C-alpha cells in the first residue's frame, strides 16, 4: 500500500508496440529497464523522456520521505475509446493493488492529457508534469491545438470555408490563364466574406446549406427549388462580374463605387430570383406539412421591392459616370423604381398583419 503514485502516461502504447513491454510497468527498476528498451528500439520517441522524468520525480518524492511508487500506464495504438478503456482498466488495477489516494501525472504532450479526467475519477491529481523535448518546444502542443480546433465543426467552418473558396477561385483563374484576375477575385471573396461576418449573415448561409441537406435527405421536392436558387445566385455573380469587366474596359477609368454599382446592376435580378426560388421551396414544404406560411408570402414581395430600389439606384449612379442612359432618364427610372417598391410594400401590409 502506498499513498501516492507517479504515473507516466503512454496513451498510444509506444512502449508495447516498439519495445514489446507489457503495461502497467511498476517500480523504479522495471521502469528504467523498460525506458532503456524503448530508447534502444526508437531513440527519438518522446515517451523515453516521459518515463525518465517520472523516475526523477519519484526519486525526489522518495528523498523527501513520501510513500510513493512509479508506474507507467499504456493505452493502445487505436487512440480514443479503445486506448482510454485500457488505461482505465490499468488504473482500476493500480487503485485496488496500492490503495493510493493521489497521483502525479507525467505526460509528453497534449494528447496524453486527454486521459486526465479518467485519472482524476480514481485518484486525486496533485500535479501534472508535461515533458517537452527542448529542441521541439511548443511544436507538439501547437499541432494538437490546431487539430483540436479543426475538429470543432464551428471553428472548421469559419477557418476552412474561406480558405477553400480562395483556393478554388484562384485555381479556376489559373486554369483559365488569368492569374491577375485570380488575385482580384480573391480580394473580392475575402471582402465579401468579411461583410457576411460583420453583419452576422453567416447564420443565414449556414441555415441555407443545412436546409438544403435536410431537404435532400428527407426527399423533399423543395430540394430542387434550393438548387435552382443557388444556380441563379451563381449566374447573378457571373453576370455582375461581366458587367464590371465591361465597365472596367471603358476609355475612362471608373472608380470603385462605379465598379460596385455595375456589379449590383448586372446581378441584382438574378439574386432576387434566387431568393424567390428558395422562398417558394419553403412555402411548398409548409403546404405539404400543413404549417402556416403567411410570413413567407411577404418575402418575395420584399425581395422584388428591394431589387427595384437597388436596380434604379444603380442605373442612376452609372448614368452619372457617363455609362448607360442619360442622367435625366436614369432619374425617372430611379423615381419609378422607388414608387414601385412603395406600392409593393403597401400591398403586402395586410399580409404582415395576418402573420
Amino acid at each position: 500500500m502506498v499513498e501516492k503514485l507517479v504515473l507516466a502516461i503512454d496513451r498510444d502504447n509506444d512502449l508495447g508496440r516498439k519495445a514489446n513491454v507489457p503495461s502497467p510497468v511498476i517500480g523504479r527498476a522495471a521502469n528504467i529497464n523498460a525506458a532503456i528498451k524503448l530508447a534502444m528500439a526508437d531513440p527519438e520517441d518522446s515517451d523515453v523522456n516521459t518515463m525518465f522524468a517520472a523516475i526523477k520525480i519519484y526519486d525526489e518524492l522518495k528523498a523527501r520521505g513520501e510513500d510513493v511508487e512509479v508506474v507507467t500506464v499504456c493505452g493502445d495504438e487505436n487512440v480514443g475509446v479503445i486506448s482510454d478503456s485500457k488505461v482505465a482498466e490499468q488504473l482500476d488495477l493500480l487503485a485496488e493493488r496500492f490503495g493510493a489516494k493521489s497521483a502525479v501525472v507525467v505526460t509528453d504532450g497534449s494528447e496524453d492529457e486527454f486521459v486526465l479526467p479518467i485519472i482524476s475519477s480514481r485518484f486525486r491529481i496533485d500535479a501534472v508534469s508535461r515533458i517537452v523535448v527542448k529542441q521541439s518546444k511548443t511544436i507538439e502542443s501547437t499541432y494538437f491545438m490546431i487539430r483540436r480546433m479543426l475538429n470543432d465543426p464551428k471553428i472548421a467552418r469559419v477557418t476552412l470555408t474561406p480558405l477553400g473558396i480562395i483556393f478554388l477561385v484562384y485555381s479556376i483563374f489559373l486554369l483559365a490563364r488569368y492569374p491577375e484576375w485570380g488575385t482580384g477575385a480573391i480580394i473580392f471573396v475575402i471582402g465579401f466574406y468579411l461583410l457576411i461576418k460583420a453583419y452576422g449573415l453567416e447564420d443565414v448561409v449556414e441555415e441555407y446549406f443545412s436546409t438544403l441537406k435536410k431537404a435532400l435527405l428527407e426527399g423533399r421536392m423543395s430540394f430542387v427549388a434550393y438548387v435552382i436558387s443557388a444556380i441563379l445566385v451563381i449566374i447573378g455573380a457571373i453576370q455582375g462580374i461581366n458587367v464590371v469587366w465591361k465597365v472596367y474596359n471603358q476609355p475612362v477609368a471608373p472608380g470603385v463605387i462605379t465598379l460596385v454599382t455595375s456589379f449590383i446592376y448586372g446581378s441584382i435580378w438574378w439574386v432576387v430570383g434566387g431568393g424567390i426560388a428558395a422562398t417558394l421551396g419553403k412555402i411548398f414544404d409548409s403546404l405539404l406539412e400543413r404549417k402556416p406560411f403567411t410570413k413567407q408570402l411577404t418575402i418575395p414581395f420584399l425581395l422584388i421591392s428591394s431589387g427595384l430600389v437597388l436596380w434604379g439606384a444603380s442605373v442612376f449612379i452609372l448614368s452619372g459616370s457617363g455609362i448607360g442612359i442619360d442622367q435625366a432618364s436614369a432619374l425617372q427610372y430611379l423615381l419609378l423604381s422607388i414608387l414601385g417598391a412603395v406600392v409593393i410594400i403597401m400591398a403586402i401590409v395586410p399580409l404582415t398583419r395576418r402573420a
Side-chain angles (χ1 to χ4, degrees):
M1 303 292 285
V2 296
E3 290 291 325
K4 184 180 294 184
L5 294 176
V6 178
L7 296 175
I9 305 299
D10 177 14
R11 194 183 184 205
D12 56 357
N13 194 26
D14 286 334
L15 186 63
R17 289 186 296 110
K18 298 176 181 179
N20 199 27
V21 176
S23 62
V25 182
I26 302 172
R28 185 179 189 279
N31 273 275
I32 290 175
N33 291 333
I36 291 172
K37 287 183 180 179
L38 181 56
M40 293 294 291
D42 185 1
E44 296 180 350
D45 197 308
S46 59
D47 288 308
V48 175
N49 301 81
T50 304
M51 296 177 70
F52 279 118
I55 294 167
K56 182 175 181 291
I57 293 172
Y58 165 81
D59 289 341
E60 291 173 351
L61 295 176
K62 199 74 174 176
R64 283 161 42 184
E66 294 194 33
D67 186 14
V68 65
E69 185 60 275
V70 60
V71 183
T72 297
V73 177
C74 301
D76 191 87
E77 60 182 318
N78 294 314
V79 175
V81 176
I82 295 175
S83 65
D84 294 350
S85 297
K86 290 186 177 181
V87 170
E89 290 174 4
Q90 294 173 53
L91 291 174
D92 289 335
L93 291 174
L94 294 172
E96 184 178 351
R97 176 173 174 178
F98 293 105
K101 297 180 181 178
S102 62
V104 175
V105 182
V106 186
T107 73
D108 65 350
S110 300
E111 186 177 61
D112 289 339
E113 291 177 12
F114 278 105
V115 301
L116 287 178
I118 301 173
I119 299 172
S120 64
S121 65
R122 290 156 175 84
F123 307 101
R124 185 184 72 248
I125 298 177
D126 288 346
V128 177
S129 178
R130 181 189 293 182
I131 307 303
V132 181
V133 180
K134 290 182 179 179
Q135 287 83 351
S136 61
K137 191 174 183 179
T138 74
I139 291 178
E140 184 184 14
S141 298
T142 304
Y143 165 73
F144 283 114
M145 182 186 69
I146 294 173
R147 195 174 77 171
R148 191 186 304 175
M149 287 173 60
L150 294 181
N151 284 337
D152 187 326
K154 275 193 173 182
I155 297 176
R157 281 194 292 268
V158 170
T159 56
L160 297 182
T161 299
L163 288 175
I165 295 173
I166 287 170
F167 289 143
L168 183 63
V169 169
Y170 192 67
S171 64
I172 291 172
F173 283 102
L174 278 181
L175 291 173
R177 298 181 180 178
Y178 291 108
E180 66 280 359
W181 282 40
T183 305
I186 287 172
I187 295 173
F188 174 80
V189 168
I190 294 174
F192 186 71
Y193 178 76
L194 292 176
L195 283 174
I196 289 176
K197 291 292 294 181
Y199 289 97
L201 298 177
E202 70 271 15
D203 293 335
V204 177
V205 177
E206 185 176 343
E207 182 184 357
Y208 171 80
F209 283 106
S210 63
T211 306
L212 181 66
K213 180 181 177 181
K214 184 178 180 181
L216 175 61
L217 295 177
E218 295 181 1
R220 296 182 179 182
M221 294 298 293
S222 59
F223 174 76
V224 179
Y226 295 137
V227 172
I228 293 172
S229 170
I231 292 173
L232 290 175
V233 171
I234 292 171
I235 292 174
I238 295 172
Q239 291 296 322
I241 292 171
N242 285 336
V243 176
V244 169
W245 178 246
K246 291 177 182 178
V247 172
Y248 182 77
N249 288 319
Q250 293 290 323
V252 179
V256 175
I257 295 177
T258 303
L259 292 176
V260 173
T261 304
S262 61
F263 179 83
I264 294 173
Y265 175 80
S267 63
I268 184 62
W269 290 117
W270 293 98
V271 174
V272 169
I276 292 173
T279 305
L280 291 177
K282 288 185 177 181
I283 293 173
F284 187 75
D285 282 345
S286 299
L287 283 171
L288 292 179
E289 296 172 4
R290 296 182 180 180
K291 293 181 178 179
F293 55 89
T294 309
K295 286 184 179 180
Q296 295 169 355
L297 284 175
T298 62
I299 295 176
F301 296 101
L302 292 173
L303 288 172
I304 293 172
S305 60
S306 300
L308 278 172
V309 174
L310 288 172
W311 177 79
S314 63
V315 170
F316 181 75
I317 293 172
L318 289 175
S319 68
S321 302
I323 302 169
I325 61 178
D326 61 276
Q327 203 161 9
S329 300
L331 180 59
Q332 292 179 359
Y333 280 119
L334 175 61
L335 295 175
L336 287 173
S337 64
I338 293 173
L339 178 62
V342 171
V343 170
I344 292 173
I345 291 173
M346 295 298 293
I348 64 172
V349 168
L351 288 176
T352 57
R353 287 179 178 175
R354 289 180 188 176

